[in-house]
Amino acid sequence: DGGITQSPKYLFRKEGQNVTLSCEQNLNHDAMYWYRQDPGQGLRLIYYSQIVNDFQKGDIAEGYSVSREKKESFPLTVTSAQKNPTAFYLCASNLRGSYNEQFFGPGTRLTVL
Amino acid sequence: DQQVKQNSPSLSVQEGRISILNCDYTNSMFDYFLWYKKYPAEGPTFLISISSIKDKNEDGRFTVFLNKSAKHLSLHIVPSQPGDSAVYFCAASETGGSYIPTFGRGTSLIVHP
């Protein structure tokens, strides 16, 4: 059945290490997104991609990087330059260029020690 | 500067009564609005939406009302059930933009049995 998956569910890393969060969807959606959720902050957009091999910075892109080599996959790398990386990260997808609602993955909780 | 505001961080309601969650926006270009529901440690799921050409949209126990002149929308849940206890996010997007929604910070609804 179709859906969007994120792995792992929980991730621990030492300060100064880069870490990559996985996001895969089999919904045949063109657009994919990464959000960060902090307590009381809502969902803040990190990066988005509306087509393969193209992506755009969101509101809080500093310290993050992405790639979109395949339609199904949109991995997010949290680099050592991200000052406060501990957060809940959500990946989403939808059809491009419309008001279609976004489908979200289950999220990855990243804790940097 | 928040363009979508949910000014009540939390709301507590008795089972069977009405829950009213409010959302205000500042960008007059927003013309499509969505509500998402989120349980802890899970991704949000789409609940209901409304276009600016309407002032009401209903889906079962959930109704969204839009007051464009006041730049205000509200989500009504009638009757409220304990399973409705979750965080509710309001989101808004605009035609001619990227269609990417801007999210509010969320309202945590607790429905007491």
Side-chain angles (χ1 to χ4, degrees):
Chain A
D1 51 330
I4 181 165
T5 58
Q6 292 183 242
S7 61
K9 182 74 172 172
Y10 299 96
L11 191 55
F12 296 87
R13 278 295 180 270
K14 291 183 179 179
E15 195 172 340
Q17 288 182 334
N18 292 356
V19 60
T20 297
L21 282 59
S22 167
C23 178
E24 304 276 336
Q25 54 96 2
N26 60 2
L27 299 166
N28 201 31
H29 286 164
D30 302 300
M32 297 186 75
Y33 311 80
W34 275 105
Y35 291 91
R36 169 179 171 142
Q37 186 191 10
D38 295 283
Q41 289 293 322
L43 303 179
R44 292 186 290 169
L45 183 65
I46 304 172
Y47 268 98
Y48 65 98
S49 167
Q50 296 189 323
I51 197 168
V52 174
N53 292 322
D54 187 51
F55 48 82
Q56 307 294 328
K57 291 182 179 180
D59 301 317
I60 55 166
E62 185 175 350
Y64 299 98
S65 66
V66 293
S67 63
R68 186 86 187 276
E69 297 176 2
K70 298 187 299 181
K71 187 175 184 179
E72 302 78 19
S73 179
F74 191 41
L76 172 75
T77 297
V78 184
T79 75
S80 56
Q82 168 48 232
K83 290 182 171 54
N84 189 15
T86 294
F88 189 56
Y89 291 88
L90 286 159
C91 180
S93 71
N94 67 354
L95 293 171
R96 181 169 58 101
S98 69
Y99 289 125
N100 292 286
E101 69 270 17
Q102 292 169 311
F103 289 78
F104 284 84
T108 292
R109 175 72 187 178
L110 173 64
T111 302
V112 176
L113 306 171
Chain B
D1 180 34
Q2 278 187 275
Q3 296 189 70
V4 177
K5 300 178 184 179
Q6 294 178 257
N7 291 320
S8 298
S10 62
L11 175 67
S12 182
V13 171
Q14 201 72 28
E15 181 179 6
R17 308 292 284 267
I18 185 171
S19 295
I20 300 176
L21 294 91
N22 294 305
C23 179
D24 297 292
Y25 60 97
T26 57
N27 186 343
S28 58
M29 299 301 291
F30 287 147
D31 57 3
Y32 195 76
F33 305 89
L34 310 95
W35 285 93
Y36 288 83
K37 175 180 179 179
K38 183 183 180 302
Y39 293 116
E42 294 184 9
T45 55
F46 170 73
L47 194 57
I48 192 169
S49 61
I50 187 167
S51 164
S52 60
I53 62 173
K54 295 185 175 182
D55 54 18
K56 176 184 175 182
N57 189 26
E58 191 172 353
D59 183 2
R61 296 186 297 114
F62 302 91
T63 302
V64 56
F65 295 92
L66 175 62
N67 182 334
K68 289 188 292 294
S69 61
K71 294 191 182 70
H72 176 83
L73 62 155
S74 60
L75 174 68
H76 293 212
I77 306 173
V78 183
S80 302
Q81 299 173 353
D84 296 329
S85 298
V87 176
Y88 290 79
F89 289 101
C90 171
S93 56
E94 64 176 280
T95 304
S98 61
Y99 295 96
I100 298 171
T102 299
F103 285 84
R105 294 186 174 185
T107 296
S108 176
L109 172 66
I110 300 171
V111 180
H112 297 283

